[in-house]
Amino acid sequence: MKNKYWNENIERMSREDMRKLQGIRLKQTVERVYHDSPFYRKKMQELDITPDDINSIDDIVKLPFTTKYDLRDNYPFGMFTVPMSQIVRIHASSGTTGKPTVVGHTRRDLAMWAECMSRAIYAYGLDESDIFQVSYGYGLFTGGFGAHYGAENVGASVIPMSSGNTAKQITLMHDFGATALCCTPSYALYLADAIRDSGYPLEEFKLKAGVFGAEPWTENMRKDLERKLNIKAYNIYGLSEIAGPGVAFECECQDGSHVNEDHFYPEIVDPETLQPLPEGETGELVLTHLTKEGMPLLRYRTKDLTALRRGTCSCGRTLARIDRIMGRSDDMLIIRGVNVFPTQIESVMLEMPEFEPHYQLIVDRVNNTDTMELQVEVRPEFYTDEISKMMAMQKRLYARLQSVLGLSVNVRLVEPRSIERSTGKAKRVVDKRKL
Ligand code: ADP
Ligand code: ZN
């Protein structure tokens, strides 16, 4: 019988052994940054701590946090802890404002990242017999390369498509018999529509799994994608500063994403007070590198909001799990005092069969009052010229949003295919208050 774990020793390690391993690796990392990173030495001196203060994983709370601003202040290579001659790859995240954040990887860092992605691939029930269509962008963005090297590492066949060129994506997916598709959930949706338009019957495709991530998405979006593409759709989580895709991955249980916690130690903190939160509570995910060479980060604040669970999963893995990311704290909209994430709106909207997961939120301020308009596409089978029917649909969605979120959102129903499609991360919010 096929082994369904890529690295069973680690993925099913007892909590006690894992904590020991994490403690040893944390100490090594702290020693490394104390000696090789002027930035961390200074931060640790300010807190009056030395590597001698770190003796188990519980001591992590003594360490300083790191933010995106620290990375920007040290642009471009100030956070690297090895000479440039040992750096074999440089990535950078786009960042919405200011300079990009730069990340450097040694050869061993890339092998570690591929290992993490390989565990994910096995957890999705995929292996060397699969054909991966990698439709994440290749470039400074980590999606393409991350999925690519992970799939090659397990011995699968890789089609390095990158994003865009949608018609060709469909032809090759069909002709080459791709069995796994790696891209953002919003691009997967776009591809699903394109398949429908292509004239190829869905049964002629060999696709069985989707490896979707790089942006927040909801359970309802998963159901939609699974139905439209006739696949199992799995979540993959990551960020360039830590490694790119493969930091955490779902298993067949689709009940939270397992964190590769022998490499990245996860904590959940209150984003205001930075105090650790009890297991199961939602807060900001903080990650610490345990094995990274090129640019180890201590307690990196991801801004991503989620909860952590350490219980053994039904798949047999003991690796801790994070819930779906609700959004980044930066994505939270405050509308007339009510806090709301685009994912909450997506979730409510997709409970109704009439709507497509193609939507945009237009936020503005009129006469000193915040306004929010949800533009959402009606599914072709529900779209009609009969105004009364459309109005009834709009009212139902309005009432649902009002009762679930406590917020009145102006709903504007738009024609199928009228909202701009994304080949990478979708732009869900247009905030005119900030323009
Ligand atoms: P950028 O900051 O330019 O978007 P990255 O490409 O590194 O840079 O994006 C990482 C971020 O993408 C994460 O911090 C998180 O907000 C989001 N993200 C990645 N994967 C997921 C996922 N599976 N679910 C929700 N959000 C995700
Ligand atoms: Zn599991």
Side-chain angles (χ1 to χ4, degrees), residues 350-363:
L350 294 185
E351 260 157 35
M352 300 178 54
E354 296 95 327
F355 306 109
E356 288 277 6
H358 293 295
Y359 67 99
Q360 214 164 31
L361 295 163
I362 318 291
V363 180

Side-chain angles (χ1 to χ4, degrees), residues 249-256 258 313-317 321:
F249 59 88
E250 262 180 354
C251 59
E252 78 256 18
C253 306
Q254 295 185 321
D255 177 25
H258 292 284
C313 179
S314 330
C315 74
R317 287 178 185 78
R321 276 170 291 166

Side-chain angles (χ1 to χ4, degrees), residues 62-288:
K62 299 178 185 164
L63 293 168
F65 286 97
T66 311
T67 66
K68 219 179 179 85
Y69 298 105
D70 296 322
L71 269 52
R72 291 215 177 112
D73 291 346
N74 290 283
Y75 176 86
F77 304 146
M79 299 294 283
F80 291 10
T81 53
V82 296
M84 220 41 205
S85 57
Q86 289 181 35
I87 297 286
V88 297
R89 176 101 63 78
I90 298 167
H91 277 286
S93 87
S94 50
T96 36
T97 50
K99 289 181 191 147
T101 44
V102 180
V103 182
H105 300 273
T106 65
R107 207 172 285 284
R108 230 189 72 189
D109 293 338
L110 292 182
M112 176 268 277
W113 182 11
E115 153 82 21
C116 292
M117 253 329 277
S118 303
R119 293 179 193 173
I121 288 168
Y122 264 46
Y124 304 145
L126 303 169
D127 60 22
E128 68 280 357
S129 62
D130 284 291
I131 304 179
F132 278 72
Q133 180 149 341
V134 179
S135 308
Y136 283 114
Y138 280 67
L140 289 174
F141 170 63
T142 51
F145 283 100
H148 182 105
Y149 284 102
E152 274 194 8
N153 198 44
V154 303
S157 317
V158 179
I159 313 170
M161 276 305 295
S162 198
S163 58
N165 211 342
T166 303
K168 190 167 179 184
Q169 299 260 6
I170 303 302
T171 308
L172 297 195
M173 191 189 292
H174 175 268
D175 297 351
F176 292 3
T179 57
L181 171 66
C182 308
C183 62
T184 58
S186 50
Y187 193 39
L189 202 59
Y190 184 2
L191 288 169
D193 289 348
I195 288 178
R196 211 165 43 192
D197 293 347
S198 70
Y200 294 121
L202 192 55
E203 307 77 65
E204 286 182 11
F205 289 81
K206 300 265 158 39
L207 221 51
K208 52 185 191 196
V211 181
F212 303 144
E215 64 182 1
W217 55 310
T218 57
E219 276 308 311
N220 289 329
M221 175 88 152
R222 187 209 308 267
K223 282 186 212 133
D224 197 64
L225 284 168
E226 292 192 330
R227 186 176 52 78
K228 283 186 171 158
L229 289 166
N230 193 22
I231 55 169
K232 291 283 270 179
Y234 296 104
N235 189 35
I236 184 95
Y237 168 79
L239 62 166
S240 349
E241 294 87 328
I242 299 299
V247 171
F249 59 88
E250 262 180 354
C251 59
E252 78 256 18
C253 306
Q254 295 185 321
D255 177 25
S257 296
H258 292 284
V259 181
N260 279 307
E261 56 171 318
D262 55 323
H263 295 297
F264 322 112
Y265 184 76
E267 296 172 87
I268 301 288
V269 302
D270 179 319
E272 302 293 327
T273 65
L274 300 185
Q275 288 307 307
L277 288 175
E279 192 164 320
E281 276 188 31
T282 300
E284 179 175 344
L285 177 66
V286 169
L287 293 165
T288 297

Side-chain angles (χ1 to χ4, degrees), residues 265-337:
Y265 184 76
E267 296 172 87
I268 301 288
V269 302
D270 179 319
E272 302 293 327
T273 65
L274 300 185
Q275 288 307 307
L277 288 175
E279 192 164 320
E281 276 188 31
T282 300
E284 179 175 344
L285 177 66
V286 169
L287 293 165
T288 297
H289 278 127
L290 297 175
T291 55
K292 177 102 183 171
E293 290 181 335
M295 196 181 113
L297 298 176
L298 302 181
R299 306 189 86 194
Y300 184 70
R301 292 186 55 188
T302 65
K303 301 268 177 173
D304 292 326
L305 298 175
T306 183
L308 189 71
R309 284 177 284 146
R310 288 209 162 83
T312 304
C313 179
S314 330
C315 74
R317 287 178 185 78
T318 50
L319 295 175
R321 276 170 291 166
I322 51 170
D323 288 344
R324 264 179 189 290
I325 307 284
M326 196 175 183
R328 300 191 213 202
S329 47
D330 318 4
D331 297 340
M332 188 179 79
L333 294 163
I334 305 179
I335 306 295
R336 297 185 294 272

Side-chain angles (χ1 to χ4, degrees), residues 352-403:
M352 300 178 54
E354 296 95 327
F355 306 109
E356 288 277 6
H358 293 295
Y359 67 99
Q360 214 164 31
L361 295 163
I362 318 291
V363 180
D364 206 348
R365 184 166 287 148
V366 181
N367 300 328
N368 291 320
T369 307
D370 300 321
T371 60
M372 182 158 70
E373 180 178 271
L374 164 64
Q375 299 184 352
V376 54
E377 285 184 18
V378 177
R379 288 192 198 275
E381 53 282 27
F382 289 97
Y383 195 80
T384 154
D385 288 340
E386 279 182 62
I387 307 240
S388 60
K389 278 198 182 144
M390 293 289 279
M391 278 181 63
M393 216 185 286
Q394 178 194 26
K395 273 196 187 140
R396 269 202 309 280
L397 178 54
Y398 175 90
R400 230 14 235 149
L401 288 165
Q402 169 82 56
S403 83

